[in-house]
Amino acid sequence: MSHEQYQSIILNLQECVQACNHCYDACLQEDDVKMMRQCIRLDRECADICVLLAQALSRGTPFAGELASVCAKICEACGIECKKHQHVHCQRCAEACFKSAEACKQLTG
Amino acid sequence: MSHEQYQSIILNLQECVQACNHCYDACLQEDDVKMMRQCIRLDRECADICVLLAQALSRGTPFAGELASVCAKICEACGIECKKHQHVHCQRCAEACFKSAEACKQLTG
Amino acid sequence: MSHEQYQSIILNLQECVQACNHCYDACLQEDDVKMMRQCIRLDRECADICVLLAQALSRGTPFAGELASVCAKICEACGIECKKHQHVHCQRCAEACFKSAEACKQLTG
Amino acid sequence: MSHEQYQSIILNLQECVQACNHCYDACLQEDDVKMMRQCIRLDRECADICVLLAQALSRGTPFAGELASVCAKICEACGIECKKHQHVHCQRCAEACFKSAEACKQLTG
């Protein structure tokens, strides 16, 4: 994999972290916060694994494939949950999660 | 899985984090630091995934099995590397890593 | 500071992480989740800085005092919020947060 | 502070994380690894606090100022150490650290 492809995956992960954290923050401020519980929870799960993978990739981890594989699963689960809600922050987060999941799959060969 | 078993896994992970970080710190102070490079690197990889898994378990993550599976692999790799070196901190770290890997396997079904 | 005192601080931090994450998880399952928003938010803030400080201490960070100072503030803020709520998980979390804040202050000179 | 300024700070932090992690990885591969110990250590300290701050900012942390203040100190310390070494990765890392420290200071007002 070229350095450029790697960089592009890290960028996708970082965008996903921001989208998840923004969605988490916004969900906690919604009137229907009870409906958003699963979204809040998955936003945090997803942000944390994306952060770990982005860090690991940027320091040349020998476990890129294994970490990317679990990261892809969590991103997808978060994207599927976010997709269900009509809030703009949820829709944007879903998009970032699916993009990040796709990026991860480049590493799982 | 009972609450007690869960707690015991989290404890193993936390002990592994401390052993890895102590080994990392001590390796960086060894005279033969060049020989310890791979150990330094794996200590960090291992500490970071154990921290993430311990946090995730204590907040009821839906991804316990997936995360534990990759954590077990990284713990084992770190344990195998540490085991090669005669420094007390490496031997203790190897022990903590193998114990933590075993604990993780209880979660992977 | 003796090695035993250091170890005891790390232990306090790890207990605080678990209490915060358990409280976060339980708050998200409460009926009155809307009332628990601030608690959910602070539980996460507090867990994340305690995790970072515990890791940093166990690898001999040169920034123990600075990190412990901000960690003490966040633990206190989380404890004060949790204390307001009558749920058992909130009361226990408050206790762990205050204990962790006290432990941090041993490092701030 | 405007949303654009905030975003720009998060971007600086993320660039600093990548520079620190790349420098850490490259230092561990240098022939003079013994000379790079302090650099390796500070790269990790710096990456970890920048990651935490970037996450915290993107989820609307109430502790932006406190965290940014300690982050600025760690970025500066890492920048000063990296600056001493002639390796390209160290010089680039120093630059990213100083830029990140400046960005943090916008939050400490």
Side-chain angles (χ1 to χ4, degrees):
Chain A
M1 175 168 290
S2 74
H3 180 68
E4 283 73 24
Q5 283 174 298
Y6 229 67
Q7 274 302 104
S8 140
I9 295 170
I10 292 173
L11 220 70
N12 284 154
L13 290 165
Q14 287 172 335
E15 277 165 20
C16 188
V17 172
Q18 278 194 260
C20 284
N21 283 330
H22 176 63
C23 185
Y24 164 91
D25 181 35
C27 283
L28 280 172
Q29 296 177 56
E30 292 292 346
D31 267 338
D32 58 345
V33 57
K34 203 164 180 171
M35 255 185 65
M36 310 313 295
R37 307 178 206 226
Q38 194 60 6
C39 200
I40 291 166
R41 187 183 290 278
L42 291 175
D43 281 338
R44 185 179 177 189
E45 297 294 324
C46 190
D48 279 7
I49 190 71
C50 287
V51 155
L52 183 131
L53 179 56
Q55 273 233 69
L57 293 178
S58 65
R59 68 179 177 239
T61 182
F63 307 104
E66 291 88 343
L67 292 168
S69 167
V70 61
C71 191
K73 272 191 200 174
I74 297 177
C75 286
E76 259 165 29
C78 187
I80 288 167
E81 176 61 30
C82 283
K83 194 77 192 162
K84 294 180 196 164
H85 306 284
Q86 293 312 311
H87 305 300
V88 175
H89 54 83
C90 290
Q91 292 297 312
R92 285 198 184 145
C93 188
E95 209 178 313
C97 288
F98 291 135
K99 221 172 132 186
S100 179
E102 284 315 300
C104 287
K105 284 174 194 167
Q106 296 176 45
L107 292 163
T108 57
Chain B
M1 175 167 292
S2 75
H3 181 68
E4 284 72 24
Q5 284 175 297
Y6 229 68
Q7 274 302 106
S8 140
I9 296 169
I10 292 173
L11 220 69
N12 284 154
L13 290 165
Q14 286 171 337
E15 279 165 18
C16 189
V17 171
Q18 278 194 259
C20 284
N21 283 331
H22 175 62
C23 185
Y24 164 92
D25 182 34
C27 283
L28 280 172
Q29 296 176 55
E30 292 291 347
D31 267 339
D32 58 344
V33 57
K34 203 164 180 173
M35 255 186 65
M36 309 314 294
R37 306 178 207 227
Q38 194 60 5
C39 201
I40 291 166
R41 187 184 290 278
L42 290 175
D43 282 338
R44 185 179 177 188
E45 297 295 323
C46 191
D48 279 7
I49 190 71
C50 287
V51 156
L52 183 133
L53 178 56
Q55 273 233 67
L57 293 177
S58 65
R59 69 180 178 238
T61 181
F63 306 104
E66 290 88 343
L67 291 169
S69 167
V70 62
C71 190
K73 273 190 201 174
I74 296 176
C75 286
E76 261 165 30
C78 187
I80 289 168
E81 177 61 30
C82 284
K83 194 77 190 162
K84 294 181 198 164
H85 306 284
Q86 293 311 312
H87 305 301
V88 176
H89 54 83
C90 290
Q91 291 296 313
R92 286 201 183 141
C93 189
E95 210 180 310
C97 287
F98 291 136
K99 221 172 133 187
S100 181
E102 282 316 300
C104 287
K105 283 175 194 167
Q106 297 175 47
L107 293 163
T108 57
Chain C
M1 173 167 294
S2 74
H3 181 68
E4 283 73 23
Q5 284 175 298
Y6 229 68
Q7 275 301 105
S8 141
I9 296 170
I10 291 172
L11 220 70
N12 285 153
L13 290 164
Q14 286 171 337
E15 280 166 17
C16 188
V17 171
Q18 278 194 260
C20 283
N21 283 331
H22 175 64
C23 184
Y24 164 92
D25 182 35
C27 282
L28 280 172
Q29 296 178 56
E30 292 292 346
D31 267 338
D32 57 345
V33 57
K34 203 164 180 173
M35 254 186 64
M36 309 314 295
R37 309 177 203 226
Q38 194 61 6
C39 201
I40 291 165
R41 187 184 289 278
L42 290 175
D43 281 338
R44 184 179 177 189
E45 298 293 325
C46 190
D48 279 7
I49 188 74
C50 287
V51 156
L52 182 133
L53 179 56
Q55 273 233 68
L57 293 178
S58 65
R59 70 179 176 239
T61 181
F63 307 104
E66 291 87 344
L67 292 168
S69 167
V70 61
C71 190
K73 272 190 200 173
I74 296 176
C75 287
E76 261 165 28
C78 188
I80 289 168
E81 177 60 29
C82 284
K83 194 78 190 161
K84 293 181 195 163
H85 307 284
Q86 294 311 311
H87 306 300
V88 175
H89 54 82
C90 291
Q91 292 295 313
R92 283 197 187 146
C93 189
E95 210 179 310
C97 287
F98 291 135
K99 220 172 133 186
S100 180
E102 283 315 301
C104 287
K105 283 175 193 166
Q106 296 175 47
L107 292 164
T108 58
Chain D
M1 175 168 291
S2 74
H3 181 67
E4 283 73 23
Q5 284 175 298
Y6 229 68
Q7 275 302 105
S8 140
I9 295 169
I10 292 171
L11 220 70
N12 285 152
L13 291 165
Q14 287 171 335
E15 280 166 16
C16 188
V17 172
Q18 280 195 258
C20 284
N21 283 331
H22 175 63
C23 184
Y24 163 92
D25 182 34
C27 283
L28 280 171
Q29 295 177 56
E30 292 291 346
D31 267 338
D32 58 344
V33 57
K34 203 164 181 173
M35 253 186 66
M36 310 313 295
R37 308 179 204 226
Q38 194 60 7
C39 200
I40 291 166
R41 187 184 289 279
L42 291 174
D43 282 338
R44 185 178 176 189
E45 297 294 324
C46 190
D48 279 7
I49 189 72
C50 286
V51 156
L52 182 133
L53 179 56
Q55 273 233 67
L57 292 178
S58 66
R59 68 180 178 238
T61 181
F63 306 105
E66 290 88 345
L67 292 169
S69 167
V70 62
C71 190
K73 271 189 202 175
I74 297 176
C75 287
E76 261 165 28
C78 188
I80 288 168
E81 177 62 29
C82 284
K83 193 77 191 162
K84 293 181 196 163
H85 306 284
Q86 293 312 311
H87 305 300
V88 176
H89 55 82
C90 290
Q91 292 296 312
R92 284 199 185 143
C93 189
E95 210 179 312
C97 287
F98 291 136
K99 220 172 134 186
S100 181
E102 283 314 301
C104 287
K105 284 176 192 165
Q106 296 175 46
L107 291 164
T108 58

PDB file of all heavy atoms in Angstrom, chain D residues 48-63:
ATOM      1  N   ASP D  48      -0.354  11.402  22.847  1.00  0.00           N
ATOM      2  CA  ASP D  48      -1.483  10.998  23.690  1.00  0.00           C
ATOM      3  C   ASP D  48      -2.306  12.183  24.195  1.00  0.00           C
ATOM      4  O   ASP D  48      -3.537  12.127  24.205  1.00  0.00           O
ATOM      5  CB  ASP D  48      -0.996  10.136  24.868  1.00  0.00           C
ATOM      6  CG  ASP D  48      -0.763   8.686  24.461  1.00  0.00           C
ATOM      7  OD1 ASP D  48      -0.852   8.385  23.263  1.00  0.00           O
ATOM      8  OD2 ASP D  48      -0.492   7.851  25.337  1.00  0.00           O
ATOM      9  N   ILE D  49      -1.642  13.259  24.604  1.00  0.00           N
ATOM     10  CA  ILE D  49      -2.420  14.399  25.106  1.00  0.00           C
ATOM     11  C   ILE D  49      -3.101  15.153  23.944  1.00  0.00           C
ATOM     12  O   ILE D  49      -4.230  15.626  24.087  1.00  0.00           O
ATOM     13  CB  ILE D  49      -1.569  15.351  25.996  1.00  0.00           C
ATOM     14  CG1 ILE D  49      -2.464  16.404  26.691  1.00  0.00           C
ATOM     15  CG2 ILE D  49      -0.487  16.047  25.209  1.00  0.00           C
ATOM     16  CD1 ILE D  49      -3.327  15.902  27.784  1.00  0.00           C
ATOM     17  N   CYS D  50      -2.435  15.204  22.779  1.00  0.00           N
ATOM     18  CA  CYS D  50      -3.063  15.858  21.615  1.00  0.00           C
ATOM     19  C   CYS D  50      -4.306  15.087  21.170  1.00  0.00           C
ATOM     20  O   CYS D  50      -5.319  15.682  20.813  1.00  0.00           O
ATOM     21  CB  CYS D  50      -2.085  15.959  20.444  1.00  0.00           C
ATOM     22  SG  CYS D  50      -0.811  17.206  20.674  1.00  0.00           S
ATOM     23  N   VAL D  51      -4.223  13.770  21.191  1.00  0.00           N
ATOM     24  CA  VAL D  51      -5.368  12.927  20.835  1.00  0.00           C
ATOM     25  C   VAL D  51      -6.521  13.175  21.803  1.00  0.00           C
ATOM     26  O   VAL D  51      -7.666  13.363  21.398  1.00  0.00           O
ATOM     27  CB  VAL D  51      -4.973  11.434  20.864  1.00  0.00           C
ATOM     28  CG1 VAL D  51      -6.174  10.545  21.086  1.00  0.00           C
ATOM     29  CG2 VAL D  51      -4.293  11.048  19.565  1.00  0.00           C
ATOM     30  N   LEU D  52      -6.207  13.204  23.078  1.00  0.00           N
ATOM     31  CA  LEU D  52      -7.257  13.441  24.072  1.00  0.00           C
ATOM     32  C   LEU D  52      -7.885  14.815  23.883  1.00  0.00           C
ATOM     33  O   LEU D  52      -9.109  14.957  23.910  1.00  0.00           O
ATOM     34  CB  LEU D  52      -6.705  13.289  25.492  1.00  0.00           C
ATOM     35  CG  LEU D  52      -7.763  13.466  26.595  1.00  0.00           C
ATOM     36  CD1 LEU D  52      -7.670  12.362  27.627  1.00  0.00           C
ATOM     37  CD2 LEU D  52      -7.645  14.820  27.275  1.00  0.00           C
ATOM     38  N   LEU D  53      -7.060  15.827  23.660  1.00  0.00           N
ATOM     39  CA  LEU D  53      -7.610  17.181  23.500  1.00  0.00           C
ATOM     40  C   LEU D  53      -8.448  17.293  22.227  1.00  0.00           C
ATOM     41  O   LEU D  53      -9.539  17.878  22.247  1.00  0.00           O
ATOM     42  CB  LEU D  53      -6.487  18.227  23.514  1.00  0.00           C
ATOM     43  CG  LEU D  53      -6.937  19.676  23.324  1.00  0.00           C
ATOM     44  CD1 LEU D  53      -7.978  20.110  24.354  1.00  0.00           C
ATOM     45  CD2 LEU D  53      -5.735  20.627  23.375  1.00  0.00           C
ATOM     46  N   ALA D  54      -7.954  16.725  21.136  1.00  0.00           N
ATOM     47  CA  ALA D  54      -8.723  16.781  19.883  1.00  0.00           C
ATOM     48  C   ALA D  54     -10.087  16.110  20.054  1.00  0.00           C
ATOM     49  O   ALA D  54     -11.117  16.656  19.633  1.00  0.00           O
ATOM     50  CB  ALA D  54      -7.946  16.123  18.742  1.00  0.00           C
ATOM     51  N   GLN D  55     -10.092  14.945  20.707  1.00  0.00           N
ATOM     52  CA  GLN D  55     -11.373  14.259  20.971  1.00  0.00           C
ATOM     53  C   GLN D  55     -12.265  15.129  21.860  1.00  0.00           C
ATOM     54  O   GLN D  55     -13.454  15.292  21.602  1.00  0.00           O
ATOM     55  CB  GLN D  55     -11.136  12.924  21.693  1.00  0.00           C
ATOM     56  CG  GLN D  55     -10.882  11.760  20.785  1.00  0.00           C
ATOM     57  CD  GLN D  55     -11.833  10.590  21.100  1.00  0.00           C
ATOM     58  OE1 GLN D  55     -13.038  10.704  20.883  1.00  0.00           O
ATOM     59  NE2 GLN D  55     -11.301   9.495  21.582  1.00  0.00           N
ATOM     60  N   ALA D  56     -11.681  15.653  22.933  1.00  0.00           N
ATOM     61  CA  ALA D  56     -12.462  16.438  23.891  1.00  0.00           C
ATOM     62  C   ALA D  56     -13.073  17.666  23.226  1.00  0.00           C
ATOM     63  O   ALA D  56     -14.253  17.985  23.431  1.00  0.00           O
ATOM     64  CB  ALA D  56     -11.586  16.818  25.081  1.00  0.00           C
ATOM     65  N   LEU D  57     -12.275  18.356  22.404  1.00  0.00           N
ATOM     66  CA  LEU D  57     -12.797  19.547  21.719  1.00  0.00           C
ATOM     67  C   LEU D  57     -13.934  19.179  20.771  1.00  0.00           C
ATOM     68  O   LEU D  57     -14.936  19.881  20.694  1.00  0.00           O
ATOM     69  CB  LEU D  57     -11.682  20.246  20.927  1.00  0.00           C
ATOM     70  CG  LEU D  57     -10.564  20.900  21.738  1.00  0.00           C
ATOM     71  CD1 LEU D  57      -9.522  21.497  20.795  1.00  0.00           C
ATOM     72  CD2 LEU D  57     -11.090  21.972  22.686  1.00  0.00           C
ATOM     73  N   SER D  58     -13.794  18.075  20.084  1.00  0.00           N
ATOM     74  CA  SER D  58     -14.823  17.718  19.098  1.00  0.00           C
ATOM     75  C   SER D  58     -16.107  17.215  19.754  1.00  0.00           C
ATOM     76  O   SER D  58     -17.128  17.057  19.093  1.00  0.00           O
ATOM     77  CB  SER D  58     -14.271  16.725  18.068  1.00  0.00           C
ATOM     78  OG  SER D  58     -13.954  15.495  18.641  1.00  0.00           O
ATOM     79  N   ARG D  59     -16.075  16.965  21.073  1.00  0.00           N
ATOM     80  CA  ARG D  59     -17.324  16.597  21.745  1.00  0.00           C
ATOM     81  C   ARG D  59     -17.771  17.683  22.725  1.00  0.00           C
ATOM     82  O   ARG D  59     -18.573  17.430  23.620  1.00  0.00           O
ATOM     83  CB  ARG D  59     -17.198  15.241  22.452  1.00  0.00           C
ATOM     84  CG  ARG D  59     -16.263  15.224  23.629  1.00  0.00           C
ATOM     85  CD  ARG D  59     -16.163  13.855  24.299  1.00  0.00           C
ATOM     86  NE  ARG D  59     -15.229  13.891  25.389  1.00  0.00           N
ATOM     87  CZ  ARG D  59     -14.149  13.114  25.501  1.00  0.00           C
ATOM     88  NH1 ARG D  59     -13.880  12.235  24.586  1.00  0.00           N
ATOM     89  NH2 ARG D  59     -13.362  13.221  26.536  1.00  0.00           N
ATOM     90  N   GLY D  60     -17.232  18.891  22.550  1.00  0.00           N
ATOM     91  CA  GLY D  60     -17.695  20.018  23.354  1.00  0.00           C
ATOM     92  C   GLY D  60     -17.353  19.916  24.827  1.00  0.00           C
ATOM     93  O   GLY D  60     -18.154  20.276  25.701  1.00  0.00           O
ATOM     94  N   THR D  61     -16.147  19.486  25.140  1.00  0.00           N
ATOM     95  CA  THR D  61     -15.709  19.368  26.537  1.00  0.00           C
ATOM     96  C   THR D  61     -15.855  20.697  27.293  1.00  0.00           C
ATOM     97  O   THR D  61     -15.581  21.750  26.722  1.00  0.00           O
ATOM     98  CB  THR D  61     -14.221  18.943  26.623  1.00  0.00           C
ATOM     99  OG1 THR D  61     -13.872  18.823  27.995  1.00  0.00           O
ATOM    100  CG2 THR D  61     -13.284  19.937  25.971  1.00  0.00           C
ATOM    101  N   PRO D  62     -16.259  20.643  28.549  1.00  0.00           N
ATOM    102  CA  PRO D  62     -16.251  21.884  29.339  1.00  0.00           C
ATOM    103  C   PRO D  62     -14.844  22.228  29.870  1.00  0.00           C
ATOM    104  O   PRO D  62     -14.711  23.227  30.569  1.00  0.00           O
ATOM    105  CB  PRO D  62     -17.200  21.571  30.509  1.00  0.00           C
ATOM    106  CG  PRO D  62     -17.582  20.132  30.400  1.00  0.00           C
ATOM    107  CD  PRO D  62     -16.844  19.506  29.271  1.00  0.00           C
ATOM    108  N   PHE D  63     -13.835  21.423  29.548  1.00  0.00           N
ATOM    109  CA  PHE D  63     -12.496  21.631  30.109  1.00  0.00           C
ATOM    110  C   PHE D  63     -11.469  22.011  29.039  1.00  0.00           C
ATOM    111  O   PHE D  63     -10.275  21.687  29.167  1.00  0.00           O
ATOM    112  CB  PHE D  63     -12.044  20.365  30.863  1.00  0.00           C
ATOM    113  CG  PHE D  63     -13.035  19.924  31.896  1.00  0.00           C
ATOM    114  CD1 PHE D  63     -13.855  18.822  31.676  1.00  0.00           C
ATOM    115  CD2 PHE D  63     -13.185  20.636  33.081  1.00  0.00           C
ATOM    116  CE1 PHE D  63     -14.803  18.423  32.622  1.00  0.00           C
ATOM    117  CE2 PHE D  63     -14.126  20.244  34.030  1.00  0.00           C
ATOM    118  CZ  PHE D  63     -14.941  19.134  33.799  1.00  0.00           C
TER     119      PHE D  63
END
